[in-house]
Amino acid sequence: MTDRTALRRRLRDQRRALPAPARIAAAEGLAAQLFALPALPATGYVAGYWANDGEIGLHVFQMRLPAGLIYCLPVLHDEVLRFAPWRAGDPLVTNRYGIPEPDIEPASALDASAMALVVAPLVGFDARGNRLGMGGGWYDRSFDFRRTQSAPPLLVGAAFALQQVEALDAAQWDVPLDAICTESNTLHPHTAA
């Protein structure tokens, strides 16, 4: 499907329509898939996200992280993402997209290269690992260095299984993912580094 705007709208509507019990179960399943990743780091910073607009939740994963892993949320800084450690109860502010982020000076947050694992929300994906995001390019700009070097950080997309489509065209700026996890499966795309 070449109309990315229409596809993005359809997939976002589908994920927003999921009932609460399905979302809760999906968050459990996603956490299980993430913890089963063979390359899951034992220590370091884990970049997650604040689930927004019907995105699959990371709260179960965050709450069960082993002691050696530190959960971080993205912070908008210029045209890239930086990351700040965050725990439930820590202060938040709303960024220009209406998404909560840690209440810190963005320049003092961690650089994308400091992450051991990045779990990024997806709008859509296919079995080859091509992905569709919100269209702002934040993750692609922030992790562009991964085009020429292997992990770390390990780059993992997260989505509901219903967000999988038959085929997506990769954009030239897309940074390949190492894996895509849903509530029921993990894909290890051939295009990943």
Side-chain angles (χ1 to χ4, degrees):
M1 184 171 207
T2 56
D3 186 352
R4 285 181 165 238
T5 302
L7 178 60
R8 206 175 263 121
R9 185 173 28 255
R10 180 175 62 83
L11 292 171
R12 289 171 66 199
D13 287 347
Q14 285 177 336
R15 73 183 184 193
R16 283 192 300 257
L18 284 169
R23 292 179 174 290
I24 293 166
E28 288 281 348
L30 176 62
Q33 294 295 321
L34 290 168
F35 284 125
L37 288 169
L40 183 74
T43 60
Y45 294 106
V46 174
Y49 57 88
W50 187 278
N52 183 54
D53 189 41
E55 294 167 339
I56 191 167
L58 281 182
H59 57 281
V60 175
F61 176 67
Q62 176 198 1
M63 292 169 53
R64 295 181 184 162
L65 277 179
L69 293 172
I70 300 166
Y71 192 78
C72 298
L73 285 174
V75 177
L76 303 182
H77 179 66
D78 295 329
E79 292 301 311
V80 296
L81 297 173
R82 294 185 63 88
F83 298 89
W86 184 82
R87 291 182 304 188
D90 287 352
L92 294 164
V93 294
T94 303
N95 68 26
R96 65 181 169 215
Y97 298 108
I99 301 169
E101 62 182 37
D103 186 12
I104 65 159
E105 174 56 42
S108 69
L110 298 163
D111 186 74
S113 63
M115 300 296 107
L117 167 67
V118 177
V119 183
L122 304 178
V123 173
F125 66 96
D126 67 18
R128 295 177 300 152
N130 296 320
R131 62 189 174 74
L132 181 67
M134 290 297 288
W138 287 94
Y139 283 90
D140 292 311
R141 285 190 302 277
S142 302
F143 295 98
D144 187 61
F145 64 91
R146 273 296 316 275
R147 293 170 169 285
T148 58
Q149 73 181 53
S150 60
L154 182 69
L155 300 178
V156 179
F160 294 102
L162 64 78
Q163 293 172 253
Q164 184 170 351
V165 298
E166 188 173 320
L168 285 170
D169 295 327
Q172 73 177 41
W173 55 81
D174 285 348
V175 175
L177 297 171
D178 298 301
I180 297 172
C181 292
T182 70
E183 71 274 23
S184 57
N185 193 23
T186 297
L187 299 172
H188 297 279
H190 302 294
T191 57

